[in-house]
Amino acid sequence: MSGAFKLKYEGSKPNANLDIDIWKDGRRVESAGSIGDLFYSPDGQSNNDVEVIISIDTVTMGEKDESAIIKVSTIGRSGSSLLTFQIPWDKKLTARGLIQDAEPRSFTAEQAVHVFGMQATSSNTMRTSDLSTESLSQTKWALVFTLQFED
């Protein structure tokens, strides 16, 4: 499963982090990782436009253990980077689908914003979801990417 989105800011550079959280039964239960300062530029120049590409794959490790490998690539003016995260995966979660916006949207840095996600279920019946908290509260299991802003 993979997807991509672009982030762009206007005004002064925000200190934006991309948090990766695991949701179960419609609630955030634990962190799966975080990427700090998405708009970082080593040369100090403006880097106000970043593309984020996400890939999520499951891998079997031995007879019983299965993991999900989350790859996050960021591409901006100063270059690109690739980060990987690994989380345990429940083999019963056989149906999977992406949660992402089809249309551009604008927001302020006043509050956290869900920007991407993947949901999974063991029932082979999946609801169509969006990134609103109300919709995420209906998911069985989800991996949610949230843009957080620090002062």
Side-chain angles (χ1 to χ4, degrees), residues 38-73:
L38 280 177
F39 297 102
Y40 171 78
S41 179
D43 56 12
Q45 294 185 18
S46 176
N47 189 31
N48 68 333
D49 197 354
V50 173
E51 183 173 10
V52 180
I53 303 169
I54 299 169
S55 171
I56 305 164
D57 296 310
T58 54
V59 293
T60 302
M61 299 158 75
E63 291 267 330
K64 296 182 180 181
D65 295 332
E66 195 162 332
S67 294
I69 306 296
I70 305 161
K71 297 177 187 175
V72 182
S73 177

Side-chain angles (χ1 to χ4, degrees), residues 3 7 11 13 48-49 59 68-69 79-80 93 114 117 130 133-134 136-137:
L7 296 170
K13 177 187 163 303
N48 68 333
D49 197 354
V59 293
I69 306 296
S80 63
L93 298 173
H114 304 306
D130 61 34
T133 302
E134 305 85 57
L136 291 172
S137 72

Side-chain angles (χ1 to χ4, degrees), residues 4-17:
F5 56 92
K6 285 188 176 187
L7 296 170
K8 182 177 182 175
Y9 71 86
E10 295 177 3
S12 60
K13 177 187 163 303
N15 187 2
N17 299 328

Side-chain angles (χ1 to χ4, degrees), residues 35 54 126:
I35 301 168
I54 299 169
M126 190 168 304

Side-chain angles (χ1 to χ4, degrees), residues 30-143:
E30 66 183 290
S31 172
S34 183
I35 301 168
D37 200 2
L38 280 177
F39 297 102
Y40 171 78
S41 179
D43 56 12
Q45 294 185 18
S46 176
N47 189 31
N48 68 333
D49 197 354
V50 173
E51 183 173 10
V52 180
I53 303 169
I54 299 169
S55 171
I56 305 164
D57 296 310
T58 54
V59 293
T60 302
M61 299 158 75
E63 291 267 330
K64 296 182 180 181
D65 295 332
E66 195 162 332
S67 294
I69 306 296
I70 305 161
K71 297 177 187 175
V72 182
S73 177
T74 58
I75 303 164
R77 180 176 184 199
S78 60
S80 63
S81 68
L82 176 66
L83 300 110
T84 60
F85 302 88
Q86 184 173 342
I87 59 172
W89 185 259
D90 183 349
K91 288 182 180 184
K92 295 176 188 167
L93 298 173
T94 55
R96 300 171 207 157
L98 294 180
I99 309 170
Q100 58 188 24
D101 287 323
E103 298 294 324
R105 57 184 174 140
S106 297
F107 49 86
T108 64
E110 304 302 317
Q111 62 185 14
V113 179
H114 304 306
V115 292
F116 187 82
M118 181 191 83
Q119 66 172 320
T121 182
S122 59
S123 67
N124 280 337
T125 302
M126 190 168 304
R127 290 177 47 97
T128 301
S129 293
D130 61 34
L131 294 164
S132 68
T133 302
E134 305 85 57
S135 185
L136 291 172
S137 72
Q138 302 298 313
T139 59
K140 172 71 176 161
W141 186 96
L143 189 64

